[in-house]
Amino acid sequence: MAGWRVLVNGASGGVGSLVVQACKGLGAEVYGVCSGGNSELVMGLGADGVIDYRIHDPLEEHLAQKFGEQQFDAILDCAGSQALFSHSPRYLKPEGKFVSIVGGWSQGVVPFVRNKLRPRFLGGTPRRYDLFLLSSSGSIAKEVAGWVEQGVIKQAVIDSEYPMEQAVEKLATGRARGKIVIKVASTE
Ligand SMILES: NC(=O)c1ccc[n+]([C@@H]2O[C@H](COP(=O)([O-])OP(=O)(O)OC[C@H]3O[C@@H](n4cnc5c(N)ncnc54)[C@H](OP(=O)(O)O)[C@@H]3O)[C@@H](O)[C@H]2O)c1
């Protein structure tokens, strides 16, 4: 990833805030997409630049203007945007990768089938599309722990601490800043 130019969509969220740090720590030039109120947070994670998707609407038009000549090597979508992929030939290199981490039926499976399997002559976007879904695994946890030890990931951004019911509500807003900590009741 050293030397790559990477765009992280949803850069201020629980996953995005870690992805920004990981990409930066592995040597990439990183641009984060988030709302203006979270720009400082994302820059503080090491991003080289921030794009406020509320000011730059449509985002894809802005990306085409700003990065049309210096295209991205990878786009990591932590917010789930079909438009970002559909327009990607304007700002993602032909050999570049578009990786979505958003799962579920409508935002995960359907886009995967549409974007991965539809051939170009039927209107498919001429860029590589991957869906990255993790299941809990000790080996991955060890790798991430190694990144923390090496200073690749420097900080955990914590939105706030909530009891389980409120944590689910907060998560459903899609407006978390970093990770939501679930407060587990003590048995004592
Ligand atoms: N693949 C996996 O294994 C895996 C693991 C965990 C989570 N996920 C999925 O990954 C997604 C993100 O999870 P998360 O925990 O990071 O969620 P989150 O903490 O709720 O973050 C959502 C972020 O999205 C941003 N956002 C909302 N609308 C946006 C838009 N139109 N454009 C750009 N950014 C936007 C928000 O930032 P602003 O307020 O700054 O806009 C917020 O920070 C979810 O769909 C989740 O299910 C996948």
Side-chain angles (χ1 to χ4, degrees):
M1 187 165 267
W4 283 19
R5 178 171 296 120
V6 174
L7 181 74
V8 180
N9 191 32
S12 58
V15 179
S17 60
L18 291 171
V19 170
V20 167
Q21 293 183 72
C23 293
K24 188 67 196 166
L26 294 171
E29 182 184 340
V30 182
Y31 293 84
V33 179
C34 63
S35 54
N38 287 327
S39 296
E40 213 172 301
L41 168 81
V42 174
M43 289 302 284
L45 297 172
D48 297 280
V50 167
I51 298 142
D52 181 347
Y53 64 87
R54 290 185 176 158
I55 291 179
H56 300 294
D57 183 15
L59 173 68
E60 298 73 31
E61 200 54 47
H62 175 70
L63 293 174
Q65 283 173 19
K66 190 167 178 191
F67 297 99
E69 300 291 320
Q70 294 184 307
Q71 298 190 321
F72 293 104
D73 297 278
I75 297 177
L76 306 175
D77 186 8
C78 305
S81 170
Q82 177 61 41
L84 191 61
F85 178 66
S86 298
H87 293 270
S88 63
R90 302 173 69 193
Y91 39 80
L92 178 64
K93 290 179 179 174
E95 70 278 16
K97 296 175 186 177
F98 187 102
V99 182
S100 173
I101 66 148
V102 179
W105 180 253
S106 62
Q107 283 198 294
V109 177
V110 172
F112 178 77
V113 172
R114 184 197 298 129
N115 297 331
K116 185 87 179 171
L117 304 181
R118 187 163 56 169
R120 290 176 195 188
F121 69 89
L122 287 179
T125 303
R127 289 296 179 274
R128 178 172 162 179
Y129 183 94
D130 286 319
L131 186 59
F132 182 76
L133 297 177
L134 276 182
S135 52
S136 304
S137 134
S139 60
I140 293 172
K142 275 184 194 153
E143 192 170 344
V144 174
W147 285 355
V148 174
E149 281 167 12
Q150 293 156 27
V152 170
I153 292 175
K154 294 188 172 61
Q155 53 174 303
V157 180
I158 305 297
D159 178 277
S160 204
E161 200 178 283
Y162 299 93
M164 178 63 88
E165 306 75 35
Q166 288 174 23
V168 173
E169 279 174 30
K170 176 70 188 178
L171 193 60
T173 66
R175 292 264 90 86
R177 292 179 91 232
K179 286 286 177 194
I180 293 168
V181 174
I182 299 173
K183 194 172 177 184
V184 180
S186 165
T187 51
E188 290 176 22

